[in-house]
Amino acid sequence: MPERGAVTLADVARLAGVSLATASRALNGSTRKVRPESVDRVQAAALELRYTANVQAQAVARGTTTTLALVVGDIADPYFAAIAAGAIRAADDAGLVVTITSTGGDPAREAAVLGVVAGLRPRAVVLAVSRRLGAGLTSGGSDSAAAVGALVAAGAGVSALVSDLDGAAAGVPGVHGVVIRNLSGAAALAGALVEQGHDSFAVLSGDPDLVTAHARVEGFVAGLAAHGIRVPDDSVVPSAFTRDGGYQAMVTLLDRAAAGSWVLPRCVFAVTDLMAVGAVAAIRERGLVPGVDVGVAGFDDVQMLADVVPALSTVRLPLEEIGERAVRRALGLEADGAIDGEVVLRASTAR
Amino acid sequence: MPERGAVTLADVARLAGVSLATASRALNGSTRKVRPESVDRVQAAALELRYTANVQAQAVARGTTTTLALVVGDIADPYFAAIAAGAIRAADDAGLVVTITSTGGDPAREAAVLGVVAGLRPRAVVLAVSRRLGAGLTSGGSDSAAAVGALVAAGAGVSALVSDLDGAAAGVPGVHGVVIRNLSGAAALAGALVEQGHDSFAVLSGDPDLVTAHARVEGFVAGLAAHGIRVPDDSVVPSAFTRDGGYQAMVTLLDRAAAGSWVLPRCVFAVTDLMAVGAVAAIRERGLVPGVDVGVAGFDDVQMLADVVPALSTVRLPLEEIGERAVRRALGLEADGAIDGEVVLRASTAR
DNA sequence: CTGAAAGCGCTAACAC
DNA sequence: GTGTTAGCGCTTTCAG
């Protein structure tokens, strides 16, 4: 056994008494045939030496890696974590290792991150980041689009999670969009709530620059409009796209109602489950009963929030499946396709 | 611009009119000096060609990678996701890219996963997986210990998250343990609950084979013992280490109490926040009021669960920090050190 | 079937 | 300062 550092193929070949080429063919699949006996000897030697092929060297020699890059906004966010879980599963099925890089939600960092990713020469890359309106894949003054273009040119399959309303995928040739139908999902939710008897609404719109947030608001408003219900402009309140943002926005609404200048709608739609949870907390803090005094609906159906009380009405998104499909799409294993959410009505809007 | 495939350093050197070596020195740091003018020319050429160094080739040539491998049980679990977030941040600070592989909680898959990881020749690896009692780093019949040993021999820094009570880190030389003091944390929680006035307890122990679960149970029981309170054996009920496991275990307890053969303790300790949430759901389903009729405490202080009602008493673990420290430890940037949890008393045990 | 040898893209002595 | 030239560990023609 070599002193230190890893065992190389040459070590194995020597011990097995065969050439480098034969050892390579025996160990790592090759179309060429090798005498069974040699294969055995090589495998035995590899085992004895605890040989593991150096993936980097293989990549250089083969000109292609076994890496799939996943770029997420924030891995601690359950939304992205669920997508990552699905992506890892699918990549694993394809024999690929996943590298995760995080933009931290900072669009300016995106180009830099993509540069690093490009250096990895991944077989495919999945972009699961919150896009900003009008930014396409280009943002923060830096040129993410160019980086993605380079990735594509270098032969990587790229797929980006996009919201309908998102021009991102269309902007860059070679990028496949896994579109999530936020628009119609939100519209369907609106319809379901109306049918449930709700007739006045407010919307916690999160960051209106985020395509996803924007699409959900648009869809919800349109869905209400189809039932003849209008949402006054001042009832759509922006905030951070987080739990605390939801809390703050709801506080704003409650304050306004308390001041008597405005009447609190019977139902509030938060563009995210997380934001909805924040809203519920705010409502409860005011001594009101969420789900009774004022209904709250979210979006995503984040698993971890299944036990919040009242149970959230929401639009279920098959997050893990989305991650899997994005990977399969990037690898060219699957055709483009949109993903629909499913309206789930629960206690938080039961009236 | 080359037809397809990536731009190489040679392309850049040619365009800049310098040698390969100079281009390399200009672009990727080197101790050697290069005339400023040449540097400019090379950088301009690189920019024009959209050159990005092939990380694999650099790794082969340098004999060392810029990769940090993170092995987790399940990235969708908020516990691991939080650790991953911290790890990614720390790795990023060190200029490393992190690859995440998941064992899916299957100990048998662990050895295989480690094999793949070894092929990556990572600079360091962080093992954040649920270890099983008595398994050390070896489990499922396969030899994870050997794989880790090979990793260490190949020069990778390795750090494993371990629970006190865990012999894992000690078993394999070269592996640094980031120990999480589950034992004392649980004991402290027990003490705090007793001081709060609770005097009869049950424990939802999760999977008793998992070191972490075991340590928390041990610690809790010991903590109670220090206050002269004994937990009858039949009041420690095992289950899956999940939200549903917590729910089931609590149902078992409630059924038993309903049958009149046993009296329900006033407080239940679940070894995980997730399990605690399941228990709360079970209690509520029976028409009892969690936190009033029966207290519930958890462990971890998972952020996502901050808004469950009643707010959970728990032991806060700085998960992201743990991820960061594990990385820094594996890289040899920080000395070994244990991490303590902090008892947080909230409404779920307010009586 | 097997081996010798030419790369893969890049770095690091070693000259000039 | 800069260029030449060996490698790094592995794959893959191209001859045997």
Side-chain angles (χ1 to χ4, degrees):
Chain A
M1 174 129 54
E3 275 323 281
R4 87 158 253 131
V7 181
T8 75
L9 226 208
D11 297 325
V12 176
R14 198 173 311 126
L15 197 155
V18 300
S19 76
L20 238 188
T22 301
S24 170
R25 295 196 268 251
L27 254 24
N28 314 312
S30 160
T31 28
R32 319 282 264 78
K33 271 194 164 332
V34 177
R35 185 171 10 132
E37 190 198 313
S38 306
V39 175
D40 289 348
R41 285 233 306 289
V42 173
Q43 287 181 337
L47 208 66
E48 182 179 339
L49 261 25
R50 298 191 185 300
Y51 168 77
T52 316
N54 181 326
V55 177
Q56 338 283 326
Q58 288 190 148
V60 176
R62 290 210 250 252
T64 171
T65 62
T66 57
T67 289
L68 183 140
L70 175 61
V71 180
V72 299
D74 172 16
I75 193 63
D77 181 326
Y79 178 86
F80 291 126
I83 289 172
I88 288 178
R89 195 183 311 139
D92 196 77
D93 288 347
L96 300 177
V97 171
V98 176
T99 67
I100 298 192
T101 30
S102 166
T103 61
D106 178 0
R109 266 203 58 178
E110 190 172 299
V113 165
L114 287 175
V116 173
V117 165
L120 263 25
R121 301 288 189 276
R123 188 99 120 252
V125 7
V126 172
L127 261 28
V129 288
S130 308
R131 314 231 121 272
R132 303 197 89 79
L133 226 47
L137 237 27
T138 310
S139 44
S142 304
D143 204 353
S144 298
V148 170
L151 240 13
V152 172
V158 175
S159 77
L161 260 41
V162 300
S163 181
D164 27 22
L165 218 78
D166 195 331
V172 186
V175 177
H176 301 292
V178 172
V179 4
I180 299 175
R181 288 212 238 270
N182 290 297
L183 208 64
S184 59
L189 175 63
L193 292 173
V194 170
E195 265 160 33
Q196 216 183 185
H198 291 280
D199 56 9
S200 65
F201 299 84
V203 176
L204 310 187
S205 62
D207 183 339
D209 283 346
L210 293 178
V211 179
T212 298
H214 189 66
R216 291 176 183 180
V217 173
E218 292 289 289
F220 193 79
V221 170
L224 290 182
H227 286 263
I229 298 177
R230 229 190 110 255
V231 181
D233 286 353
D234 67 351
S235 295
V236 177
V237 2
S239 70
F241 196 56
T242 61
R243 181 267 175 206
D244 287 349
Y247 173 88
Q248 291 296 352
M250 192 66 221
V251 165
T252 302
L253 250 27
L254 290 163
D255 281 349
R256 206 189 286 168
S261 57
W262 185 77
V263 3
L264 197 64
R266 297 302 302 276
C267 189
V268 172
F269 168 55
V271 293
T272 281
D273 279 357
L274 233 51
M275 287 182 58
V277 161
V280 165
I283 291 168
R284 187 134 43 205
E285 259 182 38
R286 282 301 215 276
L288 298 178
V289 180
V292 176
D293 294 321
V294 36
V296 178
F299 205 111
D300 287 341
D301 199 22
V302 166
Q303 208 44 52
M304 194 62 30
L305 265 20
D307 286 302
V308 304
V309 174
L312 287 178
S313 288
T314 189
V315 176
R316 193 184 96 76
L317 245 32
L319 265 7
E320 300 210 2
E321 182 192 330
I322 289 173
E324 288 184 0
R325 292 181 62 172
V327 166
R328 298 177 50 75
R329 189 65 205 88
L331 292 173
L333 265 30
E334 185 170 300
D336 277 322
I339 287 151
D340 284 299
E342 176 195 351
V343 174
V344 183
L345 263 17
R346 292 194 275 238
S348 72
T349 56
R351 305 171 35 108
Chain B
M1 172 129 54
E3 275 322 281
R4 86 156 259 133
V7 181
T8 75
L9 225 208
D11 297 326
V12 176
R14 197 173 313 129
L15 196 153
V18 300
S19 76
L20 235 189
T22 302
S24 170
R25 296 196 267 251
L27 256 23
N28 314 311
S30 160
T31 29
R32 318 285 261 80
K33 270 195 161 336
V34 177
R35 179 162 26 121
E37 189 197 314
S38 306
V39 175
D40 289 349
R41 284 234 305 290
V42 173
Q43 287 182 336
L47 208 65
E48 183 179 338
L49 261 25
R50 297 192 185 301
Y51 168 77
T52 317
N54 181 326
V55 178
Q56 338 282 328
Q58 289 190 147
V60 175
R62 292 209 246 253
T64 171
T65 62
T66 58
T67 291
L68 182 139
L70 174 61
V71 181
V72 299
D74 171 16
I75 193 63
D77 182 327
Y79 178 87
F80 291 128
I83 289 173
I88 288 179
R89 194 183 312 137
D92 197 78
D93 288 348
L96 301 177
V97 172
V98 2
T99 64
I100 299 191
T101 29
S102 168
T103 61
D106 179 0
R109 267 202 57 173
E110 190 171 301
V113 165
L114 287 175
V116 173
V117 166
L120 263 24
R121 301 287 189 274
R123 188 98 120 252
V125 6
V126 172
L127 261 27
V129 288
S130 309
R131 313 231 124 272
R132 304 196 88 79
L133 225 48
L137 237 24
T138 309
S139 44
S142 305
D143 204 354
S144 298
V148 170
L151 241 12
V152 172
V158 175
S159 79
L161 260 42
V162 300
S163 181
D164 28 21
L165 217 76
D166 195 333
V172 185
V175 176
H176 302 292
V178 172
V179 5
I180 299 174
R181 289 211 236 272
N182 290 298
L183 207 65
S184 60
L189 175 63
L193 292 174
V194 170
E195 266 161 33
Q196 218 184 183
H198 290 280
D199 56 7
S200 65
F201 298 84
V203 176
L204 309 188
S205 62
D207 183 338
D209 283 347
L210 293 178
V211 179
T212 299
H214 188 67
R216 292 176 183 180
V217 173
E218 291 289 289
F220 194 79
V221 170
L224 290 182
H227 287 264
I229 298 178
R230 227 191 111 256
V231 181
D233 286 353
D234 67 351
S235 295
V236 177
V237 3
S239 70
F241 196 56
T242 60
R243 181 266 174 206
D244 287 349
Y247 173 87
Q248 292 296 352
M250 192 66 220
V251 165
T252 302
L253 250 28
L254 290 164
D255 281 349
R256 206 189 284 169
S261 57
W262 184 77
V263 4
L264 197 65
R266 298 302 302 275
C267 188
V268 172
F269 168 55
V271 292
T272 281
D273 280 357
L274 233 50
M275 287 181 58
V277 162
V280 166
I283 291 168
R284 187 131 44 200
E285 259 182 36
R286 283 303 215 272
L288 297 177
V289 179
V292 176
D293 295 321
V294 34
V296 178
F299 205 112
D300 288 340
D301 198 24
V302 166
Q303 208 44 53
M304 194 62 31
L305 264 20
D307 286 303
V308 302
V309 175
L312 288 178
S313 288
T314 188
V315 176
R316 194 183 96 76
L317 244 33
L319 264 6
E320 299 210 4
E321 183 192 332
I322 289 173
E324 287 182 2
R325 292 181 64 173
V327 165
R328 297 176 51 75
R329 189 65 205 87
L331 292 173
L333 264 31
E334 186 170 301
D336 278 320
I339 287 152
D340 284 299
E342 176 196 352
V343 174
V344 184
L345 262 17
R346 292 195 276 237
S348 72
T349 56
R351 302 169 38 105

